[in-house]
Amino acid sequence: TAPERVGFLSGCALLVDRLLGLRTTEAFASSVPPDADAASYFGHIYTDLEGRQWQELNLQALAQHSSFLGIGA
């Protein structure tokens, strides 16, 4: 579901322990674009037919973000 919009902390990582599968646009009731001040790796927030929110992540932009790249430093 949609995460809180927070910045990276020193020593953080992205751990994905499960995936719920790809969805088509028909699986969602609505979407809103990211806030103007949102990080470049945040895409639209989608609301599914049950009312749950899903945060789109641009993994290419995330992988190029300096704070993400500096995790091991």
Side-chain angles (χ1 to χ4, degrees):
T1 60
E4 295 296 320
R5 293 179 185 248
V6 296
F8 288 104
L9 301 174
S10 177
C12 72
L14 178 64
L15 173 65
V16 177
D17 58 1
R18 67 183 182 147
L19 295 174
L20 296 176
L22 298 175
R23 303 214 187 311
T24 64
T25 55
E26 291 82 25
F28 298 100
S30 64
S31 70
V32 294
D35 293 336
D37 62 344
S40 62
Y41 48 84
F42 280 123
H44 284 72
I45 296 175
Y46 293 90
T47 302
D48 68 17
L49 299 175
E50 286 96 35
R52 293 178 297 214
Q53 290 188 325
W54 299 82
Q55 175 68 65
E56 178 182 33
L57 290 177
N58 180 331
L59 297 179
Q60 182 177 9
L62 178 63
Q64 295 172 357
H65 195 277
S66 61
S67 295
F68 186 79
L69 292 172
I71 288 171

